[in-house]
Amino acid sequence: QLQPPTKEVLTMGSWVECTEIPLPQSYVCTLLDVGANIGACMAYASAYGHAVVALEPLEDNLQMLEATATLIRDEHSSPWLRVVQAAAAEVSGSGAMRCLDGRPDS
């Protein structure tokens, strides 16, 4: 049974765009967070039990992202978080988080 994040996470530890991600409620999937910044959306998705691969090219953000991932692993026993220093493209952009598990509604 997936549990939603606590009220504190929603009000204190997340940005609006993270709470608008259409996360599956009935199953767990792997999400790719491109341009993960400091990990707010990674934290939000992992609170629902989803695995997250977070890509972030900037060194300063990467250090904060690693710290966020460590806190999540330690505090919430979320073992499947991976942080990768990488950029997905040469230019800035935006997109949507989607499950990578091949489900028809992904």
Side-chain angles (χ1 to χ4, degrees), residues 37-50:
N37 199 297
I38 63 169
C41 294
M42 175 185 68
Y44 180 74
S46 69
Y48 280 97
H50 298 291

Side-chain angles (χ1 to χ4, degrees), residues 38-72:
I38 63 169
C41 294
M42 175 185 68
Y44 180 74
S46 69
Y48 280 97
H50 298 291
V52 181
V53 177
L55 303 181
E56 177 54 50
L58 302 177
E59 184 64 37
D60 289 344
N61 289 349
L62 188 72
Q63 291 175 11
M64 293 295 292
L65 180 60
E66 287 281 7
T68 301
T70 298
L71 284 172
I72 293 167

Side-chain angles (χ1 to χ4, degrees), residues 9 16 24 31 37 45-46 55 61 64 75 82 85 90 105:
V9 170
V16 172
L31 297 160
N37 199 297
S46 69
L55 303 181
N61 289 349
M64 293 295 292
E75 296 292 322
R82 182 166 183 206
Q85 184 173 15
E90 293 181 14
D105 55 350

Side-chain angles (χ1 to χ4, degrees), residues 8-54:
E8 290 77 20
V9 170
L10 290 174
T11 59
M12 302 293 285
S14 185
W15 285 288
V16 172
E17 61 265 20
C18 298
T19 61
E20 293 176 352
I21 297 168
L23 295 175
Q25 303 295 309
S26 59
Y27 61 91
V28 175
C29 68
T30 302
L31 297 160
L32 181 62
D33 187 356
V34 177
N37 199 297
I38 63 169
C41 294
M42 175 185 68
Y44 180 74
S46 69
Y48 280 97
H50 298 291
V52 181
V53 177

